[in-house]
Amino acid sequence: VQLQASGGGLVQAGGSLRLSCTASIRPYGRFIMAWFRQAPGKEREFVAAYKWTGGSTYYADSVKGRFTISRDNAKNTAYLQMNNLKPEDTAVYYCAADTRLIQSSIGYDYEYDYWGQGTLVTVSS
């Protein structure tokens, strides 16, 4: 599975951006697509995930109420709509996917087999 991420950029605090992640296959079964981010000098952290079958969504506490993950089935694409961005959201954002994860593993980056390239999000104050 190949993942193509896009949509990063520079935005002022309070602004919005939408990230996209397109998979090279049609998602099926227990397919999960997620976003992680890594800020300078910090470890990569979980942001949000979408379970393709059933449409369950999962969020880190730090982004709940501001970020929304969604999908477009026809395009094999997941989106991360980021609103009310804060300077602390500045990071390289990575999309990831897996076809076998159980719910308890969704937040752990080492559980994902497939990764897209990172896209930089910079939020200025």
Side-chain angles (χ1 to χ4, degrees):
V1 179
Q2 294 181 325
L3 303 175
Q4 181 69 40
S6 63
L10 173 65
V11 65
Q12 288 187 330
S16 299
L17 281 174
R18 189 178 77 161
L19 306 183
S20 301
C21 181
T22 300
S24 60
I25 65 166
R26 180 166 296 278
Y28 64 96
R30 287 160 55 183
F31 191 91
I32 290 175
M33 194 174 285
W35 290 95
F36 288 80
R37 67 186 181 186
Q38 187 166 21
K42 294 187 177 181
E43 293 189 353
R44 189 159 55 188
E45 64 176 2
F46 171 76
V47 177
Y50 194 105
K51 186 185 291 186
W52 221 262
T53 299
S56 297
T57 57
Y58 308 86
Y59 296 96
D61 288 343
S62 59
V63 306
K64 281 180 182 177
R66 300 187 299 122
F67 291 11
T68 303
I69 190 168
S70 62
R71 72 177 182 196
D72 183 328
N73 264 335
K75 297 181 179 179
N76 301 340
T77 297
Y79 301 101
L80 184 69
Q81 177 66 42
M82 306 184 293
N83 297 329
N84 190 22
L85 282 160
K86 304 176 181 181
E88 51 264 43
D89 294 318
T90 295
V92 177
Y93 284 70
Y94 298 90
C95 65
D98 203 271
T99 60
R100 300 171 297 170
L101 285 184
I102 59 175
Q103 185 169 329
S104 61
S105 299
I106 287 174
Y108 299 99
D109 58 354
Y110 56 80
E111 295 284 357
Y112 288 79
D113 285 342
Y114 309 105
W115 289 85
Q117 84 286 8
T119 184
L120 177 62
V121 172
T122 303
V123 184
S124 63
S125 57

